[in-house]
Amino acid sequence: MEQLSFEHMLDIIIQTLNRLDVRLTGHGERVAFGMLHLLEQDPRFPYEEVCKITLTSLLHDIGSFQHTTNIEDLLWLEQADGFSHARYGYAFLKHFSPFPGYAPIVRFHHSTRQQIQDSMLDVRLQWVAGCLQVLDSVDLYRINHPRSTASALQDFLKQLSPARYDPMAVEAVSQLLERPDYFQPLLQGQYHDALLHHLCQMVLTPREQEALLQTLVSSIDFRSHYTALHCAIMVHASDLLASLCGLDASACQSLHIGAMLHDLGKISIPTSILESSGKLHGKDWDIMRSHVTVTEEILTGRVSDEVLQIAIRHHETLDGKGYPRGLTAEQLTLPQRIVAVADIVSALSEERSYKAAFPLNEVLRILDDLCCQGKLCPFVVGILKRERWLVYDAIRRASAEASARYEQIYAEYFAL
């Protein structure tokens, strides 16, 4: 992805993960930082595999994005066998991650030692799963006991039950805590740059980078079955409208990235609001609107200004009554206008908690009304109406693909 460096993509992923719950800020990074140090000196793991396992470890709690996860249980390390977010995270990464072969380590990071041994994982990955479990537990202990010394962490490790934790993994982490090159950066909060620097040495194809970004985006959309299709539809509609409106290749690429990233800030919106059965008012509406500001905070300095403005202006309207800044027609570029139209088309075409999916004729009628009210770009809406069946077919394909993947992931999750 030419207009988004791999380093900035990784940083966007990290910054988004950190927005789920302030108490978990840095948790995924610290666990991944520990995994990196454990693996990089182990001759069983070549460099590329170290990077892939470390990146998977960074995403080990991606299953906690689902609305059924109790963050309090996660924080206090309630050890229910199987732990739902671990099972869901495995099923999700299996279908989205560019490295699906390492998804099982996420599945077992809250399992018993015997469950890991009875799994179909090879011996090396069993050890990795055990280490991920210990690293996760140690960091959650540190979160709950923020003044813990190295000695206190060692005492915590000694208390871990060998019935649940692999003693070899416990010993490996114990030795890791004695290494100044690991513990001092961890203690001083200097792990972020070091982790990014190492992971940025990975060589990923453009397709793998797109899949990695899609993993993040879909993990947010899939928080609710009412929003599971949104980004897939919105991006497809944006891409097609950009081409139909005659944008050049560079502008189309910027629009594509901006459309993919436009709703990252919804990671901080409670699912109770995302799934509200009625129109939002007051404080709830203010919270929902804040997703744009959160998106801006995540993306600023990590994407070009062109991409940033495309991502954060999808709720602005030509009449100046949109949000968050109330911009007017002369301030909104054609790519920004396209994304605004595509976002509404997607919302109207999906089932939501408060409405059924609208048929094409009703979608077009609403778009016409919004044009008459001076909110949407008549040129973009006119192109969409002219090519309505082309756009509609693209939307239906995107919707069907996203829906099938969502249903398959949840079927596998419940089967586990």
Side-chain angles (χ1 to χ4, degrees):
M1 302 180 73
E2 295 179 2
Q3 298 193 30
L4 179 60
S5 72
F6 185 42
E7 179 179 3
H8 284 148
M9 182 189 298
L10 290 173
D11 204 9
I12 288 169
I13 291 171
I14 290 170
Q15 298 304 323
T16 305
L17 293 173
N18 286 341
R19 292 286 181 158
L20 178 63
D21 190 293
V22 67
R23 295 166 294 181
L24 290 171
T25 299
H27 173 62
E29 288 180 88
R30 292 189 295 268
V31 170
F33 187 64
M35 185 64 75
L36 169 63
H37 278 76
L38 284 177
L39 297 181
E40 64 180 354
Q41 295 183 352
D42 191 322
R44 295 177 297 170
F45 298 93
Y47 176 78
E48 281 298 318
E49 190 170 31
V50 170
C51 291
K52 291 175 181 178
I53 293 173
T54 299
L55 188 51
T56 303
S57 300
L58 176 68
L59 300 172
H60 76 279
D61 274 344
I62 201 165
S64 62
F65 288 13
Q66 62 166 324
H67 67 278
T68 57
T69 298
N70 187 329
I71 298 297
E72 291 295 336
D73 284 352
L74 190 154
L75 277 164
W76 288 100
L77 207 57
E78 294 294 330
Q79 296 286 9
D81 283 347
F83 222 62
S84 65
H85 83 275
R87 297 196 307 271
Y88 177 77
Y90 157 71
F92 183 85
L93 291 175
K94 178 182 172 184
H95 286 273
F96 277 101
S97 170
F99 323 118
Y102 300 105
I105 70 172
V106 171
R107 174 183 176 182
F108 291 109
H109 81 277
H110 282 291
S111 299
T112 66
R113 178 185 174 192
Q114 190 62 52
Q115 287 170 330
I116 295 174
Q117 290 176 345
D118 291 343
S119 72
M120 299 299 290
L121 289 176
D122 67 49
V123 175
R124 295 180 319 127
L125 290 188
Q126 286 187 26
W127 181 79
V128 170
C131 288
L132 180 59
Q133 182 187 32
V134 178
L135 289 166
D136 180 59
S137 298
V138 168
D139 195 68
L140 291 173
Y141 178 83
R142 285 187 70 239
I143 290 172
N144 291 310
H145 304 85
R147 297 185 180 181
S148 296
T149 62
S151 176
L153 295 178
Q154 293 286 8
D155 289 342
F156 171 73
L157 288 174
K158 292 174 183 177
Q159 297 171 18
L160 296 180
S161 167
R164 178 170 290 278
Y165 296 88
D166 179 359
M168 290 192 297
V170 173
E171 177 60 24
V173 174
S174 177
Q175 293 178 14
L176 181 63
L177 289 171
E178 296 175 357
R179 289 171 49 183
D181 64 322
Y182 164 73
F183 192 67
Q184 287 306 314
L186 188 71
L187 195 64
Q188 296 166 8
Q190 297 174 345
Y191 47 83
H192 177 81
D193 290 343
L195 181 63
L196 271 185
H197 175 76
H198 191 96
L199 289 177
C200 284
Q201 309 309 309
M202 293 179 69
V203 178
L204 295 185
T205 66
R207 188 171 183 175
E208 287 175 327
Q209 291 192 38
E210 177 92 9
L212 185 58
L213 192 60
Q214 190 64 58
T215 300
L216 175 68
V217 170
S218 296
S219 70
I220 296 171
D221 269 1
F222 279 29
R223 293 179 70 204
S224 165
H225 77 275
Y226 292 115
T227 61
L229 313 182
H230 175 64
C231 197
I233 294 175
M234 195 267 211
V235 171
H236 275 71
S238 294
D239 287 346
L240 186 53
L241 285 172
S243 176
L244 292 172
C245 289
L247 297 188
D248 62 30
S250 177
C252 284
Q253 177 70 356
S254 293
L255 184 146
H256 176 77
I257 297 172
M260 284 190 74
L261 301 176
H262 80 287
D263 267 352
L264 289 185
K266 284 188 176 175
I267 188 62
S268 64
I269 307 301
T271 51
S272 59
I273 291 179
L274 293 176
E275 297 186 337
S276 173
S277 59
K279 189 173 182 179
L280 297 173
H281 298 282
K283 185 178 178 181
D284 285 348
W285 177 232
D286 290 340
I287 292 172
M288 176 60 88
R289 283 163 54 113
S290 72
H291 81 272
V292 180
T293 303
V294 175
T295 300
E296 182 173 13
E297 291 170 355
I298 291 171
L299 296 181
T300 297
R302 300 177 181 95
V303 296
S304 68
D305 188 63
E306 181 182 14
V307 170
L308 174 65
Q309 299 308 325
I310 289 171
I312 66 173
R313 293 186 174 188
H314 60 285
H315 287 299
E316 300 287 356
T317 55
L318 304 189
D319 62 358
K321 296 180 180 179
Y323 69 89
R325 292 187 170 87
L327 303 178
T328 54
E330 60 271 15
Q331 297 171 290
L332 299 171
T333 66
L334 180 55
Q336 294 163 16
R337 296 175 183 212
I338 289 172
V339 167
V341 171
D343 188 62
I344 291 175
V345 168
S346 176
L348 295 175
S349 303
E350 306 160 38
E351 178 189 1
R352 291 290 175 92
S353 56
Y354 51 87
K355 72 170 189 67
F358 291 155
L360 177 61
N361 62 338
E362 181 66 7
V363 171
L364 296 177
R365 185 194 67 75
I366 293 172
L367 292 176
D368 272 339
D369 285 348
L370 292 172
C371 279
C372 291
Q373 295 170 33
K375 295 186 179 299
L376 294 182
C377 177
F379 171 72
V380 177
V381 173
I383 294 290
L384 187 152
K385 290 173 65 179
R386 188 189 73 194
E387 303 291 348
R388 62 180 65 118
W389 293 113
L390 183 64
V391 176
Y392 187 58
D393 285 347
I395 286 174
R396 286 196 301 177
R397 287 195 302 272
S399 176
E401 290 171 5
S403 180
R405 186 176 271 186
Y406 178 86
E407 291 173 6
Q408 188 172 9
I409 287 171
Y410 267 90
E412 293 183 14
Y413 161 60
F414 287 120
L416 292 172

